[in-house]
Amino acid sequence: MVQKFELPKLPYELSDLEPVISAEIMNLHYNKHHKAYVDNLNKALEQLEQAEKNNDVAQMIALQSAIKFNGGGHVNHSIFWTNLAPKKAGGGTPPDGDLTKAIEAEWGSLKDFIEMFNTKTGAIQGSGWGWLGYCKKSKRLKFVTCENQDPLSTKDLIPLLGIDVWEHAYYLQYKNVRADYLKAIWDVVNWKNVAERYANAQKG
């Protein structure tokens, strides 16, 4: 029996990220878009299980794109929700310690890192994500962009912080001005979560 994936519980209320991200956007993003990724992933995995029982190699291959897309959507969003926090819970509070030192070593300062992140993420054509990841081979932080819902594992990096720039993440509030969304979202970035992910990545 194939494992069923579930929509993870949000660590805050839908309205808690306001005014940066409206409750309306959160409701659509979480309850509609993320739920659809989970439902479609489960459906594709059930179909894969049946294809494997039938030794239907062609169908197994055909299902890989749906598994990658919906599985990536589920993985990415599950990280994204924890990468954010209401201001009252520390959202937007700058990091310190090892994470800050690592960011400064790569980009000079947190301010320079954010400017670089926003410039390169804002330039993504179509839909995708901007990511801060950790490379175990070089033991350094890396910035990359991913198309569509491709997970960061496709780049051989451990995800630390991801920012979603699909239009459903911001359009109802920021219209077509992606740059304004990217500028505002740092006010609710959960740097404590990012720092914990960095510490765990170094251990693993």
Side-chain angles (χ1 to χ4, degrees), residues 131-149:
W131 284 100
L132 173 66
Y134 179 70
C135 177
K136 289 188 72 69
K137 292 179 182 177
S138 66
K139 297 183 179 179
R140 292 172 62 179
L141 297 179
K142 301 283 185 181
F143 169 83
V144 296
T145 59
C146 291
E147 296 180 349
N148 300 313
Q149 292 296 354

Side-chain angles (χ1 to χ4, degrees), residues 85-87 90-95 185-191:
K87 281 199 165 190
T93 302
I185 200 167
W186 298 97
D187 285 343
V188 290
V189 165
N190 185 357
W191 284 109

Side-chain angles (χ1 to χ4, degrees), residues 60-97:
M60 290 183 217
I61 294 170
L63 287 165
Q64 293 308 307
S65 61
I67 293 170
K68 179 182 178 183
F69 179 79
N70 292 293
H74 175 50
V75 168
N76 291 344
H77 284 86
S78 296
I79 295 168
F80 183 57
W81 306 132
T82 66
N83 278 167
L84 304 176
K87 281 199 165 190
K88 62 186 179 185
T93 302
D96 55 21

Side-chain angles (χ1 to χ4, degrees), residues 34-180:
H34 190 172
K35 185 176 185 300
Y37 296 131
V38 173
D39 291 345
N40 290 328
L41 173 62
N42 287 328
K43 180 180 177 182
L45 290 174
E46 287 176 4
Q47 292 173 332
L48 178 64
E49 183 181 45
Q50 189 60 48
E52 289 172 342
K53 288 179 181 177
N54 296 337
N55 290 319
D56 188 344
V57 177
Q59 178 67 352
M60 290 183 217
I61 294 170
L63 287 165
Q64 293 308 307
S65 61
I67 293 170
K68 179 182 178 183
F69 179 79
N70 292 293
H74 175 50
V75 168
N76 291 344
H77 284 86
S78 296
I79 295 168
F80 183 57
W81 306 132
T82 66
N83 278 167
L84 304 176
K87 281 199 165 190
K88 62 186 179 185
T93 302
D96 55 21
D98 290 343
L99 176 61
T100 299
K101 292 175 184 175
I103 289 173
E104 290 173 348
E106 295 294 336
W107 294 285
S109 69
L110 180 64
K111 180 175 179 289
D112 289 338
F113 164 73
I114 291 173
E115 288 180 0
M116 176 280 300
F117 193 112
N118 286 357
T119 297
K120 293 187 175 181
T121 304
I124 292 173
Q125 294 185 346
S127 301
W129 292 70
W131 284 100
L132 173 66
Y134 179 70
C135 177
K136 289 188 72 69
K137 292 179 182 177
S138 66
K139 297 183 179 179
R140 292 172 62 179
L141 297 179
K142 301 283 185 181
F143 169 83
V144 296
T145 59
C146 291
E147 296 180 349
N148 300 313
Q149 292 296 354
D150 291 359
L152 199 57
S153 58
T154 62
K155 307 281 190 180
D156 200 26
L157 296 172
I158 298 172
L160 305 180
L161 169 65
I163 303 295
D164 186 352
V165 290
W166 279 64
E167 285 189 342
H168 64 237
Y170 62 88
Y171 202 87
L172 286 176
Q173 192 170 352
Y174 296 92
K175 308 308 180 193
N176 64 326
V177 190
R178 181 187 280 179
D180 286 353

